[in-house]
Amino acid sequence: MKPDDMPRVRSTRDQVAATLSELIKQLQPGDQLPPEPELAKQLGVSRPTLREVLRVFATRGLLVRRQGVGTFVASRLPILETGLEVLESLDRLAARLGLDTEMQRPSVLERDATEEELIGLQLDGPVRVLVVDRVIAIEDEPVADLRDIIPTDYLGKADLEADFRGSILDVLLSRGSPVLSISRTEILAQSAEPAQAERLAVDVGAPLLTLVAQLFSYDEHVVDYSVSTFVPGHFKFHVMRRVRS
């Protein structure tokens, strides 16, 4: 028998992943899995092997691991897929898929910009800015942690209406001034720090996708400096690229 014709033996981790996948299919979103020691014994594997499979499933958006609480079956949300060529708010992206977004943990304040924020805004200090932090959830499941920093010359705390849903981009577009042009966006892969892990209900060290963006007006001023962090299992971003001839 040639090597290529020999039957492939699945690794222990693959077997655990297959068994766990079948278990998840039998459960409902929000159901809690047994504690790790009990589940590892049930599956006949070591806890490190089980923990690695759980981490992979959480990254894929199949499970939610809440530190100190347990592991839960994630809601079966559709993947939010979009191209990065056109700037669109998360609220509008979700609406196109028939999903409602919910803003959690909102924080809106005015203060002096930090040195890092001044660099992002391409300004010299001191500058007063509006800082808007919030978590965006779909079906009560956190999917993104957003921060926008806007000079108060463009937008102030009093300018946000009571029905503000979480998108600064949509607020700026509805105001019509300044006229917006382009967004320069840096794409980063990061690990969740404790505070952010708690906000997004993921494990400390879980992989996250972060977009750091400068939103420019037509007169080439930075109107909004933003940091948007997404839970990868819920998003798929793509870019259309031309072939250099």
Side-chain angles (χ1 to χ4, degrees):
M1 181 179 293
K2 296 180 181 180
D4 289 345
D5 296 330
M6 296 179 65
R8 296 182 181 274
V9 179
R10 292 197 298 181
S11 69
T12 301
R13 196 177 78 169
D14 289 340
Q15 293 172 334
V16 173
T19 304
L20 189 60
S21 180
E22 290 301 316
L23 174 62
I24 291 173
K25 290 177 183 178
Q26 299 171 21
L27 300 174
Q28 297 298 315
D31 286 350
Q32 185 172 4
L33 296 185
E36 281 188 15
E38 180 181 333
L39 187 58
K41 184 177 180 180
Q42 178 182 329
L43 298 178
V45 296
S46 67
R47 289 182 65 183
T49 298
L50 174 62
R51 193 173 295 118
E52 173 64 17
V53 174
L54 292 175
R55 183 191 66 78
V56 172
F57 274 45
T59 301
R60 290 165 52 191
L62 300 174
L63 297 173
V64 175
R65 304 184 70 190
R66 298 192 175 101
Q67 193 170 18
V69 180
T71 302
F72 300 81
V73 178
S75 63
R76 296 182 174 94
L77 298 175
I79 299 294
L80 300 176
E81 182 172 2
T82 186
L84 294 178
E85 300 88 356
V86 177
L87 184 61
E88 180 182 36
S89 70
L90 179 54
D91 193 41
R92 292 192 179 188
L93 172 61
R96 285 198 288 104
L97 296 174
L99 301 171
D100 290 325
T101 60
E102 175 190 359
M103 183 172 63
Q104 300 177 346
R105 303 190 177 201
S107 171
V108 180
L109 58 89
E110 293 182 6
R111 58 165 170 75
D112 290 337
T114 65
E115 287 297 323
E116 179 184 349
E117 292 164 354
L118 288 172
I119 293 172
L121 292 167
Q122 297 184 356
L123 293 173
D124 296 323
V127 174
R128 293 291 289 179
V129 292
L130 174 69
V131 182
V132 183
D133 289 306
R134 64 276 189 213
V135 170
I136 301 299
I138 298 177
E139 296 184 6
D140 204 36
E141 187 170 333
V143 297
D145 192 6
L146 311 180
R147 164 170 284 195
D148 285 81
I149 301 101
I150 312 101
T152 53
D153 287 347
Y154 296 120
L155 196 68
K157 188 174 181 179
D159 296 319
L160 294 183
E161 304 290 342
D163 61 351
F164 173 62
R165 293 179 56 86
S167 172
I168 291 296
L169 173 62
D170 288 346
V171 171
L172 292 170
L173 288 172
S174 68
R175 290 167 65 86
S177 178
V179 178
L180 304 178
S181 174
I182 62 170
S183 173
R184 181 188 181 280
T185 305
E186 185 177 3
I187 305 171
L188 305 172
Q190 298 184 324
S191 299
E193 297 179 354
Q196 197 163 52
E198 194 270 332
R199 286 170 65 84
L200 288 172
V202 299
D203 282 345
V204 173
L208 298 172
L209 180 65
T210 298
L211 305 184
V212 181
Q214 295 165 302
L215 179 59
F216 287 85
S217 62
Y218 264 97
D219 57 3
E220 299 183 350
H221 291 113
V222 179
V223 177
D224 179 15
Y225 173 60
S226 64
V227 181
S228 306
T229 302
F230 302 92
V231 179
H234 298 301
F235 293 89
K236 182 184 291 185
F237 297 110
H238 62 259
V239 179
M240 302 296 290
R241 305 172 69 187
R242 291 186 303 167
V243 176
R244 185 183 294 276
S245 56

